[in-house]
Amino acid sequence: MIPIAKPYVGTEEKEAVMAVLESGMLAQGQVVAELERRFAELCGVKHAIATTSGTTALHLALLAHGVGPDDEVITTPFTFIASPNSILFTGATPVFVDIEADTFNVNPALVEQAITPRTKAILPVHLYGHMCDMDALPAIAERHNLVIIEDAAQAVGATFRGRAAGSFGTGVFSLYATKNVMAGEGGIITTNDDGVAERCRLLRNHGMKRRYHHEGLGFNFRMSNLHAAIGVAQMDRLADFTARRRANAAYLQAHLRSVTVPRARPGYGHVWHQFTVRLGHGRDRDAAVAQLNEAGVGTGIFYPVPAHKHDYMRRIVGDLRLPAAEQAAAELFSLPVHPQLSQRDLEQIVTEVNKL
Ligand SMILES: *Cc1c(COP(=O)(O)O)cnc(C)c1O
């Protein structure tokens, strides 16, 4: 089976982890600080703060911006559940607005219509590695005095008009095993705001600035040096990984016939976390996916249920109709595009998809 994702672990990752083990400095320390420097440099921002996961990074970013009970945060229903859950963790309410049919990202026109006096932040998700419209969203945020927290978990290295994901607002990345760069588990917050950075650092470590003196309630969301060592080694590979994903996506775009292929909009640097295709309306996705899997082509469905349709979420946001997100959830599936695909893998994917 050609897997939908395959974490790359090379000699550098193994040696880096061994070096940490031998150093005796296993918990958060210099290696975490080095990973933070690498992310700040990549995004061109002042601060990067490492945490245990993308989920905890989202949670801290929202708290650090003062999001809490009584606030509303506008986001997309077509995302991994961590995005809206992080809003719920703060006590705030997610407000879901529908997506655009070509990028699957939140529709800026609908974002502006959803603003109320309680709206505090916009949480756009750069889904599949294609950024949201970062002309429109920051303009809306500025007009209404809102914060932007970019969920860039799938978009490390992505750009909008040459500017990096994670540099438009406060950014959040995930280093989960299948993400474009990984550390097994891990998360990163990027920001130019000194106060936000300071609060994230405090919240990540029990509200502690001076040992055993606590400024407030905090968490243990610290990343370990072991995880950071993998992440630093992966950052050295990011340019190569992205180039391979782009080449694989270009091949699939050029050769796939029986499905609608995704395309990057002009001015957007897509990093192809997923290569997600659409079966024509009325065609049976489950049958197509089963046929591909039978033929050795791995697939993924990101995501089969839009966030507003989960029962627990429905009890909070009510019965919403968001047709573009619901249609995407019913019709899309993803094909392998990861850097470890061979030419033979690509040819097999094309052959099998074109049989559908
Ligand atoms: C992976 C992911 C997250 C959460 O990251 P974890 O590291 O798994 O906690 C959040 N949002 C999106 C869009 C993701 O893909």
Side-chain angles (χ1 to χ4, degrees), residues 52-58 78-83 125-128 151-154 172-179 184-187 273 303:
T52 47
S53 70
T55 307
T56 55
L58 281 167
F78 197 55
T79 180
F80 181 55
I81 200 66
S83 326
V125 180
H126 305 313
L127 199 70
Y128 305 146
D151 182 341
Q154 304 187 0
V172 171
F173 296 88
S174 165
L175 298 174
Y176 179 67
T178 60
K179 296 284 162 47
E185 295 273 9
H273 176 61
Y303 297 88

Side-chain angles (χ1 to χ4, degrees), residues 152-311:
Q154 304 187 0
V156 60
T159 55
F160 174 79
R161 302 200 203 290
R163 198 169 139 192
S167 71
F168 290 84
T170 289
V172 171
F173 296 88
S174 165
L175 298 174
Y176 179 67
T178 60
K179 296 284 162 47
N180 286 22
V181 301
M182 66 92 191
E185 295 273 9
I188 300 279
I189 301 154
T190 52
T191 188
N192 278 316
D193 185 317
D194 298 342
V196 166
E198 162 94 10
R199 287 191 288 282
C200 286
R201 292 204 169 93
L202 274 175
L203 286 166
R204 143 179 97 169
N205 189 25
H206 297 293
M208 190 160 75
K209 215 183 281 176
R210 193 148 64 88
R211 194 164 273 278
Y212 306 129
H213 292 69
H214 305 275
E215 322 236 329
L217 185 63
F219 304 90
N220 172 3
F221 287 165
R222 298 182 308 262
M223 181 185 280
S224 77
N225 271 351
L226 287 164
H227 290 89
I230 302 172
V232 171
Q234 292 262 306
M235 289 300 276
D236 289 334
R237 305 186 192 278
L238 175 58
D240 175 56
F241 279 169
T242 302
R244 284 171 194 265
R245 285 179 181 274
R246 286 179 175 156
N248 293 343
Y251 184 91
L252 294 174
Q253 285 172 330
H255 294 89
L256 291 179
R257 305 265 169 266
S258 62
V259 292
T260 307
V261 296
R263 299 202 179 271
R265 286 183 183 171
Y268 290 69
H270 199 326
V271 294
W272 300 104
H273 176 61
Q274 299 295 350
F275 188 92
T276 303
V277 302
R278 191 189 281 278
L279 267 189
H281 191 59
R283 288 168 74 193
D284 184 344
R285 178 181 60 186
D286 290 347
V289 162
Q291 183 182 324
L292 289 173
N293 296 165
E294 196 105 327
V297 176
T299 53
I301 296 178
F302 312 107
Y303 297 88
V305 182
H308 64 287
K309 288 291 190 189
H310 295 289
D311 281 341

Side-chain angles (χ1 to χ4, degrees), residues 81-105:
I81 200 66
S83 326
N85 278 356
S86 65
I87 298 166
L88 293 176
F89 293 152
T90 69
T93 305
V95 173
F96 295 112
V97 306
D98 212 354
I99 60 171
E100 299 174 318
D102 62 331
T103 64
F104 317 115
N105 284 331

